[in-house]
Amino acid sequence: MEVERKDGRGANQLRPMDHSRNVLNRAHGSANCSHGGTRVLAAVFGPKAGTKKNENPEKACIEVVWKPKTGQIGKPEKEFEMILKRTLQNICILTVNPNTTTSIIVQVVHDDGSLLPCAIHAACAALVDAGIPLKYLAVAISCCLTDSGQILLDPDKLEEQKMKAFVCLAFPCSVHSVLPEGSATAGGEPVAHGLITSLTQGVMTVDDYFRCLAQGRAAITPLSNILKKKLQSQSANNQSIAG
Amino acid sequence: MAATGGPNDLSSEMELDAFRRLFPLRFHERHLTESIRPDGRPLGKARETTLALGAVASAHGSALAKIGCTTMLAAIKMEVMTPTVETPDEGGIAIDFHMPPICSPLVRPGRPAELAPVISKQLSDTILSSGMIDLKELCLVSGKAAWMAYLDIYCLDADGALFDAALLSAVAAFSHLQIPVVSLNDDGRVVLVSEDNTVAMKEKEPVNKERIKLTLNNIPFSLTCVLHKNYILADPTSEEESIMETFLTVVLDSSFQLVSLNKPGGPGLAHTSAIQDCIKLTRQRVKELQKILNEAISDMEVD
C-alpha cells in the first residue's frame, strides 16, 4: 500500500539536496546545506590552542554551538549540540591536533523537517572546507513510520508531526581509504554499516526499528555518492581558480 | 589475575592503583579479557537497584532510586491550571532534571551542567511519547481546569547511567502519585481541600471525590550499555563512561515495545548485532526493574 505524500514523492524518495562550501569569508571553513526546504549554515573556527575545562587535553576538543532560527537556546538545542558534538567526535581524527579546540557554529536558516541530518551534512562539509582531518564523512538520514507501518524517508515538518514514530540515523560514508585493506570490516560487517548516531522518538516495535535501519542503510550509499561528488567538484573548481 | 600480556605489559610490575590511574583504558581492557569488571560484575549485569517511594513527604508523589551509587530523587507537585485551547480536556506534565554541584566533581557551582538539559529533554520525550500517562486523566473540568504535574528530579550522586536512574525514579514517583482532592469555591475557582476540614468539603462538593491514583500503562524502563570493541558493558559507572565513550541507551516499555534507542555519537560504531544484544539485555533488565517497582509499591501499601 502506497502512502500519498503531499509533495508527490515516493516513500523512498529524498528531497533535492544542495551543498555549497566556502560561503563565509571570515570563517576557517563554512558550508551551506539544504534538503528541500530545510536549510542549515555551518561555520568552523579552529583548531584554536587549548581545550575547554573537563576535556581531555591529549585529544582535540570539539565544541558545537547550535543557533536556532529564532528565539533563545532551549533544551532541544542543547540536545542537538550534544548529539552533533559526539557525532563529529566520531568522524574527526582527534589525535592529530591534541590540546586544541575546534568550534562549529550551526545556524538553522529554515527548518522543514529532518533538521539533524541536514545539520550533520553541513557540519561535515564545513569541516572539510576548513581542512580538519577526518576519518570519513558522516551521512545521515531520517525516517518516519506511518500508522500503517510504512517507512517514509526524509520526512518534512508536517509528516514528522503526523507520524507514529521518527528515527534519525547517521552512518559513516564508505571510504576509499588511507586505512590499510581489511580494516574496513568490523565484526563481519563493513564499517559503513556501523551506526554513529541513532535518535528515535515515538513507540514502535523492535522489528520496525530494524526495518528503518535497513531502509536507511540502503539510502545512504547513493546519498554519500552525491555528497562526495559535490565536495569533489567544488574543490576542483577552487583549484582551477587558484591556478 | 592470570599472568598474560606481551613484553610491555606493566600490570605485573606496578601497583594496582597506579596502573589504574596511569593506563585506565588498559586497566579496563585487561578486565574485559577476563569477562569481569573492576567492581566484580560480569559484563551484562546491572548494579544493585533499590527504590523507595514517598521519600519527600510534602510532595504529592516522590521516589528515591539508587542504581549502585547513582542516586536520584524525584518529586511531583500538582497544580491546577487552565488547559490550552487546542487540548481542552488534557492536563500537562513538566519535567525538569537538575544536577547540583553535590552530584559530581565535574559540576561547578554557578555553572549549570551541560548534561542536565539534555537528560531533561530525553526524559520528557520518553515519558510523553511512551503513553504511560493518559493526559486526559489529569483533566478536572473540561476547558476550565486541569492538573499540571511538575516533576523535578535531582541527581544526588552521579556515578554513571544517569538517564536510567532518572527514568526509574520518575516512573516510581508517578506510581506513588496521589492526586489531591479539590473543590469549586464560591467564585467558581478550583481550590485544594485540606485534609482537616472535611466538613467544608461536604458542603462544597469536591470536583474529584477522593484522592486518586493515575493508571499507568506501558511503563518505560531503560538500560544504558557501553560499547567497547566487541564488548558490551551494561549499566556503566562514571569511570567506565569516561574511559569508553560510546554508549547506547535502549528504552523498552512493559510490553517490550521500543520507546527510544538513543546512541549519541561517540568514538565507536554500533553494528546490528551489538544493537540486538543491547536490546536483549534491556529485555532482561525491564523484567528486573518491573519486579523492583512492584515490590516497592506493595511495600508502600503494607505501610
Side-chain angles (χ1 to χ4, degrees):
Chain A
M1 187 189 66
E2 277 290 307
V3 169
E4 280 277 312
R5 294 178 80 164
K6 267 245 170 74
D7 46 8
R9 280 187 287 157
N12 287 339
Q13 204 176 346
L14 309 182
R15 291 174 293 177
M17 275 173 59
D18 192 31
H19 282 93
S20 45
R21 284 201 290 134
N22 206 4
V23 287
L24 300 174
N25 193 19
R26 303 265 304 163
H28 298 146
S30 59
N32 198 344
C33 174
S34 68
H35 290 192
T38 307
R39 191 173 194 87
V40 174
L41 189 64
V44 172
F45 292 91
K48 298 172 279 191
T51 53
K52 289 208 305 182
K53 219 172 186 182
N54 298 335
E55 296 275 353
N56 183 0
E58 287 177 21
K59 284 183 178 174
C61 165
I62 290 183
E63 176 192 49
V64 175
V65 179
W66 185 288
K67 292 282 181 191
K69 188 180 165 197
T70 51
Q72 298 237 310
I73 293 179
K75 283 177 192 165
E77 284 76 28
K78 286 277 175 201
E79 192 191 18
F80 281 141
E81 271 181 13
M82 197 271 284
I83 294 174
L84 191 56
K85 177 185 161 186
R86 294 183 53 91
T87 305
L88 297 178
Q89 273 176 342
N90 183 294
I91 64 167
C92 291
I93 304 175
L94 298 172
T95 42
V96 176
N97 304 315
N99 202 14
T100 59
T101 303
T102 305
S103 315
I104 295 111
I105 291 98
V106 173
Q107 171 70 55
V108 179
V109 182
H110 188 69
D111 176 12
D112 188 23
S114 311
L115 183 59
L116 191 60
C118 187
I120 289 176
H121 292 157
C124 270
L127 284 172
V128 169
D129 193 37
I132 307 288
L134 304 178
K135 278 188 266 181
Y136 34 67
L137 292 169
V139 206
I141 183 104
S142 59
C143 35
C144 264
L145 206 63
T146 63
D147 292 317
S148 58
Q150 211 198 351
I151 295 168
L152 303 181
L153 291 182
D154 196 18
D156 62 24
K157 194 88 192 166
L158 272 173
E159 287 173 326
E160 254 176 35
Q161 284 161 352
K162 271 192 300 187
M163 291 305 153
K164 186 175 99 165
F166 169 78
V167 182
C168 177
L169 305 163
F171 299 94
C173 188
S174 53
V175 270
H176 329 255
S177 72
V178 285
L179 296 168
E181 207 60 46
S183 66
T185 58
E189 276 182 294
V191 167
H193 281 186
L195 194 59
I196 302 176
T197 296
S198 157
L199 181 76
T200 76
Q201 199 162 44
V203 181
M204 65 188 121
T205 62
V206 173
D207 290 341
D208 278 337
Y209 177 76
F210 283 108
R211 280 204 299 138
C212 285
L213 203 61
Q215 203 94 331
R217 234 172 233 162
I220 57 153
T221 321
L223 198 60
S224 57
N225 288 339
I226 297 171
L227 210 76
K228 273 192 237 169
K229 210 178 267 173
K230 282 270 178 195
L231 291 176
Q232 269 164 359
S233 65
Q234 279 185 6
S235 52
N237 280 346
N238 287 352
Q239 270 165 11
S240 63
I241 292 165
Chain B
M1 205 184 279
T4 51
N8 47 7
D9 183 17
L10 298 163
S11 58
S12 50
E13 298 160 26
M14 268 170 116
E15 266 180 57
L16 187 67
D17 277 344
F19 184 63
R20 186 176 191 159
R21 287 202 153 227
L22 290 172
F23 305 103
L25 187 60
R26 269 211 257 158
F27 174 80
H28 278 85
E29 280 179 348
R30 193 61 203 280
H31 278 85
L32 292 178
T33 52
E34 316 264 336
S35 296
I36 198 153
R37 290 155 73 174
D39 52 6
R41 278 185 287 162
L43 302 191
K45 197 169 183 310
R47 288 167 289 174
E48 199 191 327
T49 307
T50 56
L51 198 54
L53 299 185
V56 183
S58 62
H60 296 121
S62 60
L64 182 80
K66 283 191 87 166
I67 298 181
C69 285
T70 305
T71 313
M72 295 285 170
L73 182 66
I76 302 172
K77 192 95 185 157
M78 303 294 283
E79 266 176 35
V80 179
M81 58 134 192
T82 318
T84 56
V85 186
E86 295 96 58
T87 54
D89 53 354
E90 284 184 9
I93 300 171
I95 297 169
D96 218 348
F97 178 76
H98 307 268
M99 283 177 81
I102 193 178
C103 75
S104 156
L106 297 179
V107 184
R108 308 281 303 160
R111 265 206 205 166
E114 269 178 35
L115 208 55
V118 178
I119 294 184
S120 185
K121 165 92 180 359
Q122 286 172 349
L123 277 172
S124 29
D125 279 354
T126 306
I127 290 175
L128 294 175
S129 73
S130 69
M132 173 176 78
I133 293 157
D134 185 4
L135 292 178
K136 292 205 165 65
E137 272 189 41
L138 294 173
C139 176
L140 285 166
V141 184
S142 180
K144 294 275 167 53
W147 286 114
M148 186 73 191
Y150 290 96
L151 167 62
D152 284 278
I153 300 163
Y154 288 88
C155 178
L156 304 181
D157 192 351
D159 190 21
L162 297 186
F163 178 80
D164 297 2
L167 183 63
L168 180 64
S169 70
V171 162
F174 272 116
S175 61
H176 175 249
L177 175 67
Q178 284 194 315
I179 297 177
V181 186
V182 288
S183 67
L184 284 170
N185 70 2
D186 300 333
D187 309 335
R189 296 181 63 174
V190 178
V191 289
L192 285 179
V193 176
S194 56
E195 282 176 47
D196 41 74
N197 61 356
T198 38
V199 190
M201 192 179 100
K202 270 174 200 147
E203 285 168 10
K204 279 183 192 146
E205 202 199 343
V207 181
N208 50 351
K209 289 278 167 345
E210 56 197 17
R211 289 171 156 238
I212 49 161
K213 290 208 151 206
L214 288 174
T215 41
L216 303 182
N217 28 26
N218 299 328
I219 302 176
F221 294 104
S222 73
L223 180 69
T224 300
C225 296
V226 159
L227 306 177
H228 182 71
K229 293 182 180 163
N230 289 324
Y231 302 107
I232 298 172
L233 287 79
D235 187 26
T237 62
S238 60
E239 191 189 359
E240 286 165 338
E241 272 182 1
S242 66
I243 293 162
M244 298 168 276
E245 293 166 283
T246 313
F247 33 86
L248 195 150
T249 304
V250 185
V251 186
L252 294 176
D253 67 13
S254 27
S255 54
F256 300 122
Q257 296 252 68
L258 188 73
V259 180
S260 149
L261 194 146
N262 197 347
K263 180 186 181 289
L269 299 172
H271 292 275
T272 312
S273 56
I275 298 172
Q276 269 161 345
D277 288 343
C278 288
I279 291 176
K280 231 180 265 167
L281 285 171
T282 312
R283 275 172 194 267
Q284 289 169 10
R285 181 72 177 151
V286 168
K287 284 178 202 153
E288 277 173 40
L289 289 175
Q290 227 161 6
K291 213 175 125 211
I292 291 167
L293 181 63
N294 288 338
E295 273 170 12
I297 293 171
S298 58
D299 279 356
M300 194 66 200
E301 277 161 3
V302 169
D303 299 340

